[in-house]
Amino acid sequence: MNLNITNETSKLKSVVLGMPNSMGHPHSLEDSYDAKSYQSLQNGIYPTEDHIVQEMTEFEKILRKHDVEVFRPNLINDYNQVFARDVAFVIDDKMIISNIIQDRYDEQDAYRKIFARVGWKKIINLPDTAHIEGGDVIVWNDFLFIGTCFSEDYRNFKTARTNEYAIEVLKEYFPKKRIIDLELKKNDIDPYQGILHLDCTFNPIGTDKCIIYKDGFVDESDYRLLIDIFGEENCFHVTQQEMFEMNPNIFSISPEIVVSDSSFTRMNDHLRNEWGMTVEEITYREISKMGGLLRCSTLPLVRE
């Protein structure tokens, strides 16, 4: 397989979609590792497997409708495998295996047939102390945007998934990229106040546009830098409630086509009516209760 991911939106040719089956029992509140799941468990609304299977089936149908080759990981019984983006990610023609949180280490074994198809020469294994997950990595042509946490309390946050060392390692592997680190606000129990991954507060779409939540960044200068890069008129600003509902975490099939949740009415109308995009709407409300949405569910392998 010839990997090729140079940005987030070029026409998608092949992708890994996570698995919704055999999720097992919900973990305890104390063992929750993201704020949205914590709230869902606390409020007794954590999604059932039936609902998750239904939502991911609809997503797969949309991908196949647009002639996308869809791969799935092997099934691990009684294990949550919905969010493929956390396991690995592709930059240009290289796949980077994430050093994900320990609770999810077993999940990578389910991708071995995919790793073999990619070819081990194209795979980068990071040092053990370089922590990173694919939701924090956004490839945008010459830019590589990376969400991180520089806080001295990094190790105390379950939602801090990408550290400074991982960014330094990526700089060595991709010296021609302009790598921009963006520090995210972290909160393990309140999903209105913390950002799990960069793609929960910022996501490029089209050829020159983005969706962004201003208050997801520790330093406003990071937000201002993104506005300067994309241009104010090319940025769709979401509210705190829309961030909580996960509006930024939609998925691009091409510069003209995005997959979005049908409940994102204000944003979907803007994408269609103001920016002339085709919006494929599906229901992904139940999966959102676990702290991820459409981009989180995917691991793109090849774009044109």
Side-chain angles (χ1 to χ4, degrees), residues 12-235:
L12 184 67
K13 305 299 289 184
S14 63
V15 67
V16 181
L17 181 64
M19 286 287 285
N21 308 94
S22 191
M23 288 186 54
H25 297 293
H27 40 71
S28 67
L29 196 61
E30 294 75 20
D31 291 334
S32 174
Y33 41 78
D34 71 271
K36 199 78 178 285
S37 293
Y38 184 95
Q39 187 193 66
S40 298
L41 289 164
Q42 192 174 47
N43 294 337
I45 58 170
Y46 198 80
T48 65
E49 184 176 311
D50 287 347
H51 284 129
I52 293 170
V53 169
Q54 183 178 351
E55 291 181 349
M56 294 197 81
T57 298
E58 290 305 307
F59 191 12
E60 183 176 12
K61 286 179 182 177
I62 294 295
L63 293 168
R64 294 190 184 279
K65 170 186 169 183
H66 291 280
D67 299 320
V68 177
E69 184 179 21
V70 180
F71 296 96
R72 309 301 286 267
N74 291 332
L75 181 67
I76 303 175
N77 290 325
D78 299 328
Y79 209 90
N80 186 333
Q81 296 178 259
V82 170
F83 298 127
R85 183 74 61 159
D86 297 340
V87 176
F89 54 95
V90 176
I91 301 174
D92 295 343
D93 64 347
K94 296 290 190 295
M95 175 179 281
I96 296 88
I97 308 299
S98 302
N99 281 333
I100 55 179
I101 58 175
Q102 194 166 4
D103 290 352
R104 297 181 61 186
Y105 272 167
D106 291 345
E107 195 171 345
Q108 290 181 337
D109 288 337
Y111 285 72
R112 292 202 173 276
K113 66 178 181 182
I114 295 166
F115 296 157
R117 195 179 185 104
V118 167
W120 297 105
K121 290 183 179 179
K122 293 290 185 179
I123 291 177
I124 296 171
N125 288 285
L126 301 175
D128 289 344
T129 53
H131 302 152
I132 195 164
E133 291 184 352
D136 277 328
V137 180
I138 290 178
V139 186
W140 194 244
N141 306 316
D142 294 335
F143 290 98
L144 197 56
F145 300 109
I146 303 180
T148 188
C149 176
F150 292 127
S151 171
E152 293 179 0
D153 294 330
Y154 174 90
R155 292 184 179 277
N156 296 328
F157 283 115
K158 292 182 180 180
T159 50
R161 304 294 175 82
T162 298
N163 64 9
E164 190 172 3
Y165 181 41
I167 298 173
E168 295 305 314
V169 173
L170 287 183
K171 286 179 180 179
E172 295 177 10
Y173 278 109
F174 302 97
K176 294 183 179 180
K177 294 286 187 187
R178 183 181 172 188
I179 297 181
I180 297 178
D181 53 70
L182 303 161
E183 186 169 13
L184 307 176
K185 293 180 180 177
K186 296 295 178 182
N187 192 300
D188 286 349
I189 60 174
D190 187 348
Y192 284 96
Q193 301 302 323
I195 303 296
L196 178 59
H197 289 130
L198 179 59
D199 59 12
C200 298
T201 195
F202 162 70
N203 193 6
I205 58 173
T207 57
D208 58 358
K209 295 175 172 56
C210 74
I211 302 162
I212 194 165
Y213 173 61
K214 177 180 179 179
D215 293 329
F217 305 95
V218 170
D219 194 330
E220 188 176 337
S221 65
D222 285 351
Y223 159 77
R224 295 295 342 162
L225 176 60
L226 293 173
I227 298 301
D228 289 343
I229 290 170
F230 285 84
E232 184 78 43
E233 71 282 1
N234 289 327
C235 299

